[in-house]
Protein backbone atom coordinates (compact mmCIF):
# COMPACT_ATOMS: atom_id res chain seq x y z
CA UNK A 1 0.00 0.00 0.00
CA UNK A 2 1.19 3.53 -0.78
CA UNK A 3 0.42 6.36 1.63
CA UNK A 4 0.24 10.06 0.92
CA UNK A 5 -0.03 12.49 3.82
CA UNK A 6 -1.30 16.05 3.48
CA UNK A 7 -2.80 18.92 5.43
CA UNK A 8 0.18 20.24 7.32
CA UNK A 9 1.03 23.90 7.53
CA UNK A 10 1.83 26.86 9.73
CA UNK A 11 -0.64 27.64 12.49
CA UNK A 12 -0.67 29.77 15.61
CA UNK A 13 -0.74 28.26 19.05
CA UNK A 14 -4.24 27.16 20.10
CA UNK A 15 -5.14 26.77 16.44
CA UNK A 16 -6.30 23.64 14.60
CA UNK A 17 -5.30 21.54 11.62
CA UNK A 18 -6.66 18.46 9.91
CA UNK A 19 -4.19 16.00 8.50
CA UNK A 20 -5.19 13.40 5.95
CA UNK A 21 -3.51 10.28 4.63
CA UNK A 22 -4.76 8.71 1.43
CA UNK A 23 -3.94 5.11 0.63
CA UNK A 24 -3.63 3.46 -2.74
CA UNK A 25 -3.20 -0.21 -3.44
CA UNK A 26 -3.99 -2.90 -0.93
CA UNK A 27 -7.22 -3.35 0.98
CA UNK A 28 -7.36 -0.38 3.31
CA UNK A 29 -9.81 -1.96 5.72
CA UNK A 30 -7.31 -4.70 6.60
CA UNK A 31 -4.72 -2.24 7.89
CA UNK A 32 -4.17 -0.92 11.37
CA UNK A 33 -3.35 2.75 10.89
CA UNK A 34 -1.28 5.15 12.92
CA UNK A 35 0.14 8.65 13.07
CA UNK A 36 3.66 9.40 14.25
CA UNK A 37 5.68 12.58 14.38
CA UNK A 38 9.32 13.55 14.37
CA UNK A 39 10.72 16.84 15.55
CA UNK A 40 14.20 17.99 14.51
CA UNK A 41 16.88 16.06 16.37
CA UNK A 42 14.33 13.75 17.98
CA UNK A 43 13.23 10.20 17.36
CA UNK A 44 9.99 9.41 15.64
CA UNK A 45 7.25 9.10 18.23
CA UNK A 46 3.77 7.66 18.41
CA UNK A 47 0.82 10.03 18.24
CA UNK A 48 -2.33 7.98 17.63
CA UNK A 49 -3.56 4.69 16.20
CA UNK A 50 -6.85 3.22 15.06
CA UNK A 51 -7.80 -0.42 14.73
CA UNK A 52 -8.46 -2.01 11.37
CA UNK A 53 -12.18 -2.14 12.17
CA UNK A 54 -12.16 1.46 13.34
CA UNK A 55 -13.71 0.55 16.68
CA UNK A 56 -10.72 1.28 18.89
CA UNK A 57 -8.22 4.13 19.16
CA UNK A 58 -5.11 4.89 21.16
CA UNK A 59 -3.33 8.16 21.83
CA UNK A 60 -0.04 9.33 23.21
CA UNK A 61 -0.43 11.19 26.48
CA UNK A 62 0.54 14.42 24.72
CA UNK A 63 -2.25 13.97 22.17
CA UNK A 64 -5.04 12.78 24.41
CA UNK A 65 -7.93 15.22 24.60
CA UNK A 66 -6.59 17.41 21.78
CA UNK A 67 -6.15 15.13 18.78
CA UNK A 68 -8.70 12.81 17.16
CA UNK A 69 -7.88 9.99 14.77
CA UNK A 70 -10.47 8.61 12.37
CA UNK A 71 -10.69 6.57 9.20
CA UNK A 72 -12.96 6.36 6.18
CA UNK A 73 -12.52 2.98 4.55
CA UNK A 74 -14.67 3.85 1.55
CA UNK A 75 -12.38 6.76 0.73
CA UNK A 76 -9.26 4.89 1.89
CA UNK A 77 -8.41 7.86 4.07
CA UNK A 78 -6.96 8.26 7.53
CA UNK A 79 -7.48 11.56 9.34
CA UNK A 80 -5.99 13.31 12.33
CA UNK A 81 -7.69 16.35 13.76
CA UNK A 82 -5.28 18.52 15.75
CA UNK A 83 -6.85 20.99 18.18
CA UNK A 84 -5.36 23.42 20.71
CA UNK A 85 -1.97 23.11 19.08
CA UNK A 86 1.15 23.95 21.02
CA UNK A 87 4.63 24.93 19.91
CA UNK A 88 5.90 21.51 21.02
CA UNK A 89 3.59 19.87 18.48
CA UNK A 90 5.84 21.20 15.72
CA UNK A 91 7.13 18.21 13.76
CA UNK A 92 6.84 16.24 10.56
CA UNK A 93 3.77 14.02 10.89
CA UNK A 94 3.80 10.58 9.28
CA UNK A 95 0.98 8.16 8.64
CA UNK A 96 1.71 4.46 8.82
CA UNK A 97 -0.05 1.20 8.01
CA UNK A 98 0.27 -2.26 9.43
CA UNK A 99 -1.32 -5.21 7.70
CA UNK A 100 -3.29 -7.02 10.37
CA UNK A 101 -1.72 -10.32 11.22
CA UNK A 102 -4.94 -11.88 12.50
CA UNK A 103 -8.35 -10.93 13.86
CA UNK A 104 -6.83 -10.06 17.25
CA UNK A 105 -4.22 -7.68 15.90
CA UNK A 106 -5.41 -4.27 17.08
CA UNK A 107 -3.60 -1.11 18.09
CA UNK A 108 0.14 -0.63 17.69
CA UNK A 109 2.31 2.12 19.14
CA UNK A 110 5.85 1.33 18.02
CA UNK A 111 7.56 2.41 14.82
CA UNK A 112 8.85 -1.09 14.12
CA UNK A 113 5.36 -2.55 14.24
CA UNK A 114 4.27 -0.77 11.07
CA UNK A 115 4.87 -2.02 7.53
CA UNK A 116 4.31 1.06 5.35
CA UNK A 117 4.94 4.78 5.76
CA UNK A 118 3.87 7.95 4.06
CA UNK A 119 6.27 10.74 3.18
CA UNK A 120 5.28 13.06 6.03
CA UNK A 121 3.67 16.47 6.25
CA UNK A 122 5.16 19.40 8.18
CA UNK A 123 3.21 20.98 11.03
CA UNK A 124 4.64 24.19 12.45
CA UNK A 125 3.03 25.88 15.43
CA UNK A 126 4.05 29.43 16.21
CA UNK A 127 3.81 30.63 19.78
Amino acid sequence: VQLQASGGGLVQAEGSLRLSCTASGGTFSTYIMGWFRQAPGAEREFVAAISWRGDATAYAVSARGRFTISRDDRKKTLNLRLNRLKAEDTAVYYCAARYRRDAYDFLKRRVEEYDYWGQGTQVTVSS
Side-chain angles (χ1 to χ4, degrees):
V1 65
Q2 293 80 44
L3 304 173
Q4 181 76 32
S6 62
L10 174 64
V11 62
Q12 290 186 333
E14 295 301 314
S16 299
L17 279 175
R18 183 173 179 266
L19 306 184
S20 294
C21 175
T22 301
S24 60
T27 303
F28 187 70
S29 59
T30 61
Y31 289 90
I32 298 164
M33 300 299 295
W35 284 100
F36 290 74
R37 67 186 184 187
Q38 188 167 18
E43 294 187 352
R44 194 169 296 188
E45 64 176 10
F46 170 74
V47 175
I50 188 166
S51 62
W52 57 272
R53 290 188 299 194
D55 57 355
T57 57
Y59 295 92
V61 172
S62 60
R64 205 168 294 159
R66 298 188 300 128
F67 297 175
T68 303
I69 189 172
S70 62
R71 65 188 296 159
D72 185 334
D73 287 355
R74 286 190 309 162
K75 296 181 180 179
K76 294 188 175 182
T77 301
L78 174 74
N79 300 302
L80 185 68
R81 178 69 178 180
L82 313 173
N83 291 329
R84 306 201 323 269
L85 282 161
K86 306 174 182 179
E88 50 264 42
D89 295 319
T90 295
V92 177
Y93 283 69
Y94 297 90
C95 56
R98 170 187 169 93
Y99 183 74
R100 68 180 178 96
R101 305 303 194 249
D102 54 44
Y104 304 100
D105 198 11
F106 291 123
L107 302 167
K108 301 299 179 183
R109 295 170 173 79
R110 295 186 300 178
V111 169
E112 58 268 26
E113 293 178 311
Y114 284 81
D115 303 312
Y116 305 97
W117 292 84
Q119 86 290 359
T121 184
Q122 176 71 46
V123 172
T124 303
V125 184
S126 62
S127 56

